[in-house]
Amino acid sequence: MFKHSQLESVKAWVAHPAHAAMPLHARIQRAIRQLIVDGALGPGKPLPASRALAKSLGVSRDTIEAAYAQLHAEGFIDRRVGSGSFVAEMTEFTPGRRLSQRDTLLRNQAPNLSKRGAAMFRSGGVREMLSPRPFAHGVPETRTFPLQLWERLERQVRKEVGVQTLLHGDPQGTEPLRRAIADYVNLERGARATADRVLVLTSSQQAMSLCANMLLDPGDRIFIEDPAYYGARKAFDAAGLECVPIRVDRQGLVIEQIMAEPGRAKAVFLTPSHQFPTGVTLALDRRLALIEWAARHQAWIIEDDYDSEFHYAGKPTACVQGLDPHDRTIYIGTFTKSLFPGLRIGYVVLPPQLVKPMTVARTLLDGHTAPMAQLTLARFMEGGHFGAHVRTMRGVYAERLDVLAGLASKHLSDFVEPRVPIGGLQMPCVLTGDLSERAAVDAARRVGIELLGLSALHAAGDAKAGFLMGFAAYTPLEIEVAVKKLANALRAVTKP
């Protein structure tokens, strides 16, 4: 018979809410197995008779017999006719041994990761809010997305393509979507793309990791904007690259340092259409100079065009890739910002010589992107719905930016100076008073408001303190309520 403590342990395991979904016999089997694994029941120890244990637990004998049968099948117990059930003798490997003090210490130590694994872990990853709240940056409006239209197109795909959508897809991406992407970036972004140069991925983050690992070796240098998108910096750091920060001014990346030391790095990372987080656009003469630098030194330009669809003043500047006759530019795009984050579709337009290597490399990561979503998106684009949706949201976001800028000037003028951008989904604000960035971000979070501090995006220590305020996903009324709540929170922490 079990000791009292062992019986109570089984009862507690069986009654725990976390195990409620398991059948009763499985809960009892797992509880007894845990006693064996933990060493509470050593090799050769007898188990209670099924009738007696059933009575103690208030269950049927058949339930106990089912639990014992599973333990026997897994090799944890021996069953002897006429003698009963016993913990199995496991000599070569005894999972039931008690952990020594040394074992416990080793278990609680940091994992023994590779250098690259340790760098990835230290970075903290790129975490997105599952349920965004004002003013989370980079989040599009999803509540008004034409979901019924999307579902109708998805049904058409299922009807016409059938079970093919349930099988493995082309690792480069479905041909209809690659063609639609090429047509779109050529028309709207001035790119030089063809369907056979497009690689469909799950995100722009995956694209940056691929570029970091396929184009550069650990220890290689890459020029990167300062301030820079945190996801890019983390991807490059994790790949073992040395990020060389280059200052950004009102005309984008300041290229003098690159031109003065042209061979210092093998690549440059840019967000030229709408620099993250400042919102400035890279001047044409600097774009052309970087293209010539890359061609002359056989370097790469990694161009992240993450939200250029949303430009509120005039026509957006053509992408760098479309200006590059030397095929040294990798153009990264995503539908996360223009449609909805749950779609998980991004893409790269590659120089011809990189298409096969990059496609092979992505098969080692996740094989391919889901065909159903790709084919539905292709129809959404081919039917003109993507362009119509972007145009609609561009007007909605422009209005919301105006509302936020006005409310920030009215209610937050004692604390920040808004820097109204000409595009994108977020507005930078620079702190003007004595309030620290950390105090502002913490005060906002306490009242349910999310701000991204600017200082952490800078490599240099002389960054101006401030934060980003995302506006795209929030209605004018939601923005007004949140701005007033933020103003009260900031006043509370600045009161003498």
Side-chain angles (χ1 to χ4, degrees), residues 79-375:
R79 309 199 75 184
R80 304 168 196 165
V81 177
S83 299
S85 301
F86 302 83
V87 178
E89 297 282 352
M90 293 168 280
T91 54
E92 291 186 15
F93 169 67
T94 307
R97 70 182 177 90
R98 290 187 181 276
L99 290 176
S100 66
Q101 187 176 10
R102 177 177 177 275
D103 291 328
T104 304
L105 288 171
L106 289 173
R107 175 181 282 187
N108 294 331
Q109 282 180 358
N112 187 22
L113 302 175
S114 67
K115 290 181 180 179
R116 183 178 290 113
M120 294 172 75
F121 183 52
R122 282 196 306 271
S123 77
V126 177
R127 289 174 286 185
E128 306 291 350
M129 296 187 67
L130 299 183
S131 300
R133 56 189 185 180
F135 293 100
H137 71 283
V139 184
E141 175 62 85
T142 56
R143 291 169 292 187
T144 58
F145 181 78
L147 196 55
Q148 289 183 325
L149 169 61
W150 183 271
E151 290 171 341
R152 176 164 59 82
L153 296 175
E154 192 173 61
R155 287 194 298 271
Q156 289 178 7
V157 170
R158 282 201 302 269
K159 182 177 180 180
E160 295 174 23
V161 184
V163 295
Q164 285 297 119
T165 60
L166 308 181
L167 302 176
H168 286 286
D170 184 338
Q172 189 178 343
T174 62
E175 198 276 337
L177 180 57
R178 288 189 284 113
R179 185 176 61 244
I181 289 172
D183 290 345
Y184 169 73
V185 296
N186 288 343
L187 178 65
E188 297 294 335
R189 302 297 300 116
R192 298 165 57 249
T194 54
D196 59 357
R197 293 178 61 172
V198 175
L199 171 61
V200 178
L201 300 169
T202 54
S203 65
S204 56
Q205 192 66 38
Q206 186 183 46
M208 287 183 280
S209 293
L210 267 177
C211 289
N213 287 285
M214 290 295 290
L215 303 180
L216 298 103
D217 291 313
D220 283 348
R221 290 171 172 172
I222 179 170
F223 292 125
I224 185 170
E225 298 164 327
D226 187 27
Y229 172 55
Y230 52 87
R233 189 187 300 276
K234 289 181 178 185
F236 302 147
D237 285 344
L241 309 185
E242 181 184 343
C243 293
V244 180
I246 305 294
R247 187 171 60 87
V248 171
D249 66 12
R250 293 184 180 276
Q251 291 188 298
L253 193 74
V254 178
I255 63 171
E256 280 74 13
Q257 184 179 343
I258 296 176
M259 299 302 136
E261 303 177 89
R264 190 180 177 195
K266 293 185 177 180
V268 59
F269 172 77
L270 304 170
T271 50
S273 297
H274 180 232
Q275 202 276 331
F276 187 95
T278 65
V280 300
T281 298
L282 183 62
L284 178 60
D285 60 335
R286 297 185 184 185
R287 294 173 183 238
L288 297 176
L290 286 171
I291 288 170
E292 290 308 309
W293 164 80
R296 191 178 309 117
H297 298 280
Q298 291 297 285
W300 299 105
I301 298 172
I302 302 171
E303 177 181 14
D304 183 10
D305 205 28
Y306 63 101
D307 68 357
S308 63
E309 289 89 358
F310 303 114
H311 201 85
Y312 311 127
K315 289 284 288 181
T317 309
C319 65
V320 173
Q321 192 269 355
L323 300 172
D324 181 5
H326 311 294
D327 285 329
R328 303 301 303 178
T329 302
I330 295 99
Y331 176 89
I332 300 174
T334 179
F335 295 98
T336 295
K337 305 290 190 295
S338 54
L339 293 179
F340 53 94
L343 183 58
R344 305 317 300 149
I345 294 182
Y347 60 91
V348 284
V349 180
L350 295 165
Q353 68 272 28
L354 291 183
V355 173
K356 284 187 178 180
M358 288 286 203
T359 302
V360 169
R362 85 76 50 97
T363 66
L364 298 174
L365 300 177
D366 61 354
H368 63 95
T369 304
M372 176 70 77
Q374 290 188 67
L375 293 170

Side-chain angles (χ1 to χ4, degrees), residues 26-46:
R27 281 182 268 168
I28 295 170
Q29 178 255 335
R30 295 283 185 90
I32 296 172
R33 187 178 73 182
Q34 197 62 48
L35 289 173
I36 296 171
V37 169
D38 289 344
L41 288 174
K45 294 291 184 181

